[in-house]
Amino acid sequence: RDDFERLYNDIALIEEATELKSILSRYIKDGFRKELMDENLPNTVSKYIETNKNNILNNAFYWWQEKMVYLLYKYEIQQKADMLKLRKIMKDGRSIEHMLPQEWDYKWICESDANSIFSNEKNAREEIGKVINGIGNLLLITGSENSSKSNNNHPMSWHYVSCSGGSYDMHNDNKSKWTDYRDWNEIIINRGNKIFNFLKEFIS
């Protein structure tokens, strides 16, 4: 809307009809947003992404969610996920899945030694909470699959059916990696870094 207001304002200031063609040609040639953009847009975006790396890796679920959905979509394409199924997810009502549920059950954590941060539930939730909403723990699935999955489903017990290939097969084939709770943060961080690096390459 602001773009068109700028155009209308420019037109309103013209004194001769011949100026109209010049104004319209400039907008068509340069684009509506040229005056608002850095001349080196990829560099500007790269700096923005790097500045917000922490948000993407640790809080993507709540930070700019629509853009994060698109990032997950493009990442899974790059990872050779089934394109038809991915498009169906996006078209028919996609849902953002936490691979490790936000409300995970503390019973999934076994007794640990007194020196472990996981020996106390509060500490464990704080530690895992640092990354649980990060991009590395998020996956696009259908709304119907998400509604059938609950916070009672341990990651190592769930088989994704919304799509195949990419992160979907990666999880389904390697569910046992979620067995040890001490590995949860590392699993999420490692996948998050892969997605973040893909993002930097994608916008460069």
Side-chain angles (χ1 to χ4, degrees), residues 45-200:
V45 176
S46 294
K47 288 180 179 178
Y48 181 78
I49 293 301
E50 197 62 46
T51 299
N52 286 281
K53 181 177 181 178
N54 185 65
N55 280 321
I56 296 170
L57 293 180
N58 302 323
N59 198 36
F61 183 69
Y62 294 109
W63 182 80
W64 212 354
Q65 189 173 123
E66 290 304 315
K67 292 297 183 184
M68 295 298 98
V69 166
Y70 183 67
L71 170 57
L72 290 169
Y73 173 71
K74 297 298 288 188
Y75 176 74
E76 291 306 334
I77 291 176
Q78 190 261 358
Q79 292 293 301
K80 309 300 183 186
D82 188 308
M83 276 294 299
L84 292 178
K85 291 181 179 179
L86 269 179
R87 287 173 179 166
K88 184 174 178 60
I89 289 174
M90 297 295 285
K91 179 181 177 181
D92 294 348
R94 48 82 181 161
S95 183
I96 302 178
E97 158 74 351
H98 284 76
M99 300 170 74
L100 175 66
Q102 287 177 302
E103 301 299 327
W104 53 273
D105 194 333
Y106 187 65
K107 294 177 182 177
W108 298 347
I109 290 183
C110 305
E111 289 292 329
S112 54
D113 63 83
N115 295 322
S116 171
I117 193 170
F118 296 101
S119 63
N120 177 281
E121 181 173 358
K122 181 177 181 295
N123 290 343
R125 293 198 181 281
E126 287 180 355
E127 183 68 14
I128 295 168
K130 293 176 183 178
V131 298
I132 200 166
N133 290 305
I135 196 74
N137 194 39
L138 306 181
L139 191 67
L140 295 178
I141 62 174
T142 61
S144 59
E145 179 169 20
N146 195 31
S147 63
S148 66
K149 186 176 183 294
S150 73
N151 287 322
N152 294 322
N153 292 116
H154 193 293
M156 67 178 181
S157 70
W158 189 259
H159 186 92
Y160 289 106
V161 298
S162 291
C163 193
S164 58
S167 297
Y168 305 91
D169 282 359
M170 183 77 69
H171 170 82
N172 292 341
D173 294 340
N174 299 281
K175 290 183 288 186
S176 61
K177 68 182 181 179
W178 291 94
T179 303
D180 192 333
Y181 58 88
R182 290 167 294 190
D183 294 335
W184 291 352
N185 279 28
E186 184 178 355
I187 293 168
I188 294 170
I189 290 170
N190 285 344
R191 180 169 178 265
N193 282 324
K194 289 179 181 178
I195 298 175
F196 184 81
N197 289 335
F198 162 77
L199 172 60
K200 290 198 298 183

